[in-house]
Amino acid sequence: MPLITIPNTALTPTPEQSRAFCAQLEAGDILYFPATPVPLTADDTSFLLGQQQTDSSLHKNIAYKPAIDRLSGFDAKTADPAAVQRLHQIMRGYSASVVQFLARFLAPYQQHWKLDYASFRPQEEQNRDLPLRRRNDLLHTDAFPTRPTYGARILRFFNNINPTRTRDWIVSDPFGATVRQFAPKQIAPRPGSALSRIGKASARAIGLGAAIPSLKRSPYDDFMMRFHNFLKENPTFQTDCPKYPFQFPPNSSWMVYTDTVPHAVLAGQYALEQTFLVRPEAMVRPEISPLKILEEIAHAPLV
Ligand code: SIN
Ligand code: FE
């Protein structure tokens, strides 16, 4: 089982232990904290749990962008400004606590990550009605249509803030195994291709009329995006791949490289999440990074 339980007595690791945690993450393990190291106050938790009832414009997936201290994902026309301000404050605090914790816990990565978005996920995940490529109940590896990483890894830290219900995931074998077994020739990494523009559809999704030249993906990002879609669209992979179910209890946390560990969320409601883009030079086991694996398959550099 690729799950490593971290007891609360192990929250301040030695440099060697820190490196070992990084190595485990890079190999596709989930690090699981039965009692979250970044708890919210009871007040903040009840505020978040109450949003569905009190303000329907705040119950979508809310994103917080720490770099510019911006909250988005709600309808500013209908949302209650006081509630937005409170939510903003909670997300700012959550993001900062996760950063503070991981700067210590994963010391080798500190100063080598780009802090990406945090999110509040108040929707019930079971039976969500989403277009296939956006469904999170199908196993997939993460890739961002409008935020190419150029080989940086997508590390995500989660809190289940639901007071009574588990958040139910399944995961499958990590990247190296999955890509070699399931990725066909048609989606193989294409080295040497010029940086591709972000497609029109994605550009439209972020409010741009057409693709703009400044948003460019490397061949690596192109592959990761195709692979995300390919896995979701592939019934053989969805049925035949090895599956490991995990039910994350109330008030637990976990983190995982979601760009390489195929994952799906089947049920659960109310989670917080912070994403980090960890740069290739920080990997303690670069040889098993998706970039290196794909470059080996392609026999060429991909960023
Ligand atoms: C995902 O990244 O696919 C969703 C994970 C979650 O919200 O639990
Ligand atoms: Fe995902």
Side-chain angles (χ1 to χ4, degrees), residues 211-280:
I212 56 164
S214 60
L215 284 173
K216 285 183 172 171
R217 287 191 193 127
S218 62
Y220 171 80
D221 293 294
D222 265 341
F223 175 84
M224 296 305 272
M225 201 63 245
R226 285 200 300 279
F227 195 54
H228 162 274
N229 297 339
F230 170 79
L231 292 179
K232 283 187 178 171
E233 289 163 357
N234 184 340
T236 311
F237 168 72
Q238 295 291 331
T239 9
D240 294 355
C241 75
K243 295 183 186 68
Y244 314 98
F246 297 115
Q247 301 188 317
F248 300 104
N251 306 315
S252 66
S253 277
W254 62 101
M255 68 176 147
V256 60
Y257 272 118
T258 56
D259 57 351
T260 43
V261 178
H263 59 283
V265 56
L266 303 186
Q269 190 179 14
Y270 301 115
L272 290 173
E273 172 269 338
Q274 171 68 61
T275 301
F276 297 82
L277 301 179
V278 188
R279 283 188 273 275

Side-chain angles (χ1 to χ4, degrees), residues 125 135-142 167-172 232 237-238 243-246 248 254 258 261-267:
E125 295 295 340
R135 278 176 59 180
N136 282 338
D137 60 336
L138 293 168
L139 282 154
H140 64 282
T141 47
D142 286 344
R167 196 169 185 86
D168 301 349
W169 274 35
I170 42 175
V171 302
S172 188
K232 283 187 178 171
F237 168 72
Q238 295 291 331
K243 295 183 186 68
Y244 314 98
F246 297 115
F248 300 104
W254 62 101
T258 56
V261 178
H263 59 283
V265 56
L266 303 186

